[in-house]
């Protein structure tokens, strides 16, 4: 009388998803894209492993350590990097909840992702806006995007206009 309850993925299921990321990256390359972006924010699958609020595993993908929480994402990165594409990762800036990821976790995660071959490991601008609005009560949650984020968006648009590399956001829907 309803949907089945969620359950932890098996290691085999995790490996199948890693392979699916590699295959999706290959399809993006064949379609003419210069790069892909792995979406590890906003509660999507990779973010569920990254956040200790949703990752209650006790195996190698444990939610108790940053290394364990990043393992799935790093495996997906290595699979996609093998396709000789530019690779970016979109990571939430922090859970902003007790026991969740912090901005400091995300900074360290970005460093580790770049060491693994990610060209652009960055926080999602909406996440930063949300955290900034909470930290500074003078800013309303629906405030316009800060100038720095607007400048970054303008830079990305300018790169595209000059026919510089174009990325494709890779999410679960691409499998």
């Amino acid at each position: 009388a309803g949907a089945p309850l969620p359950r932890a993925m098996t290691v085999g299921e995790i490996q199948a998803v890693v392979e699916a990321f590699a295959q999706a990256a290959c399809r993006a390359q064949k379609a003419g894209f210069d790069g892909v972006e792995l979406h590890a924010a906003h509660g999507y699958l990779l973010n569920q492993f990254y956040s200790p609020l949703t990752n209650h595993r006790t195996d190698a993908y444990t939610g108790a350590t940053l290394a364990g929480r990043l393992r799935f994402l790093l495996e997906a990165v290595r699979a996609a990097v093998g396709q000789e594409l530019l690779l970016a990762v979109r990571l939430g800036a922090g859970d902003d909840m007790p026991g969740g990821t912090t901005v400091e976790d995300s900074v360290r995660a970005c460093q580790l992702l770049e060491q693994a071959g990610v060209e652009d490991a960055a926080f999602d601008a909406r996440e930063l806006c949300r955290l900034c609005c909470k930290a500074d009560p003078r800013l309303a949650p629906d405030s316009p995007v800060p100038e720095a984020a607007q400048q970054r968006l303008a830079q990305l648009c300018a790169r595209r206009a000059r026919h510089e590399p174009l990325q494709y956001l890779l999410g679960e829907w691409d499998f």
Side-chain angles (χ1 to χ4, degrees), residues 5-25:
L5 290 174
R7 62 169 178 75
M9 294 172 70
T10 67
V11 172
E13 289 169 331
I14 292 169
Q15 295 307 311
V17 172
V18 168
E19 177 58 28
F21 272 111
Q23 291 173 8

Side-chain angles (χ1 to χ4, degrees), residues 30-114:
K30 287 180 182 177
F33 287 93
D34 300 304
V36 295
E37 179 177 275
L38 295 175
H39 197 323
H42 310 124
Y44 287 104
L45 181 62
L46 292 172
N47 182 248
Q48 291 175 29
F49 274 78
Y50 177 62
S51 174
L53 296 175
T54 51
N55 182 346
H56 301 149
R57 298 180 74 96
T58 57
D59 60 4
Y61 299 92
T62 180
T65 66
L66 183 60
R69 295 190 329 258
L70 282 174
R71 183 179 176 127
F72 188 14
L73 179 55
L74 287 169
E75 289 174 355
V77 163
R78 289 184 190 107
V81 165
Q83 305 304 319
E84 298 182 11
L85 290 166
L86 297 173
L87 182 63
V89 171
R90 181 183 310 213
L91 194 63
D95 288 327
D96 196 30
M97 295 178 68
T101 57
T102 64
V103 172
E104 292 77 19
D105 288 337
S106 295
V107 168
R108 181 67 184 132
C110 286
Q111 293 167 343
L112 293 170
L113 289 164
E114 287 175 352

Side-chain angles (χ1 to χ4, degrees), residues 33-37 86-88 120 156 159 165-169:
F33 287 93
D34 300 304
V36 295
E37 179 177 275
L86 297 173
L87 182 63
D120 182 20
L156 291 172
R159 283 178 50 195
L166 173 65
Q167 295 183 110
Y168 178 73
L169 175 62

Side-chain angles (χ1 to χ4, degrees), residues 34 152-166:
D34 300 304
R152 174 74 174 136
L153 182 58
Q155 290 170 349
L156 291 172
C157 292
R159 283 178 50 195
R160 180 61 186 129
R162 291 192 306 267
H163 302 288
E164 291 187 25
L166 173 65

